Amino acid sequence: MRQPAYIWILRIIPAAILLQTLFFKFSASPESVYIFSTMGLEPGGRIGSGVAELIAAVLILIPRTTFYGAGIAAGVMLGAVLSHLLVLGIAVKDDGGLLFGLALATLVCAAILMWIERRQFAVLLRKISG
């Protein structure tokens, strides 16, 4: 079934953000190392969140698995937003709040996708409950 363009836009935005940030996490860029060191999660948190974001981005782009990818992305981005609000601050290393804004945009898109694709979750619950 053909899906409306707005759903694809809601998929592409978070997937692009998630995939773009992977380079910085996996290459141990100074900004990423600083963020995860500040939180006491370097290097495991940096690598682990990168792997989770990669999986989320791929799942978001596959229509049958969008709900699950959006759920993973929402969880990771909720952690990122809370880390900014509680530990890091909105602006990190003079980025003007860019990383916070990207995390927030990804979280919002993921939440909307989860709402749109909530039927996928109902199917999963039916399979689990027999």
Side-chain angles (χ1 to χ4, degrees), residues 21-39 41-42 45-46 92-93 99:
T21 61
L22 291 179
F23 171 78
F24 299 100
K25 286 188 175 76
F26 291 152
S27 68
S29 76
E31 294 83 6
S32 285
V33 171
Y34 170 80
I35 288 168
F36 287 94
S37 293
T38 300
M39 295 186 305
L41 299 172
E42 174 62 28
R46 178 175 49 82
V92 176
K93 295 187 80 83
L99 291 176

Side-chain angles (χ1 to χ4, degrees), residues 7-94:
I7 292 178
W8 278 103
I9 291 168
L10 285 170
R11 284 186 179 125
I12 291 168
I13 290 170
I17 292 169
L18 293 168
L19 292 171
Q20 182 270 336
T21 61
L22 291 179
F23 171 78
F24 299 100
K25 286 188 175 76
F26 291 152
S27 68
S29 76
E31 294 83 6
S32 285
V33 171
Y34 170 80
I35 288 168
F36 287 94
S37 293
T38 300
M39 295 186 305
L41 299 172
E42 174 62 28
R46 178 175 49 82
I47 302 294
S49 67
V51 170
E53 290 173 15
L54 174 60
I55 292 167
V58 170
L59 292 176
I60 285 171
L61 292 172
I62 300 169
R64 293 185 68 181
T65 60
T66 296
F67 178 86
Y68 310 109
I72 295 168
V76 174
M77 291 302 110
L78 182 59
V81 167
L82 289 174
S83 294
H84 277 275
L85 293 175
L86 301 175
V87 179
L88 300 167
I90 301 295
V92 176
K93 295 187 80 83
D94 298 321

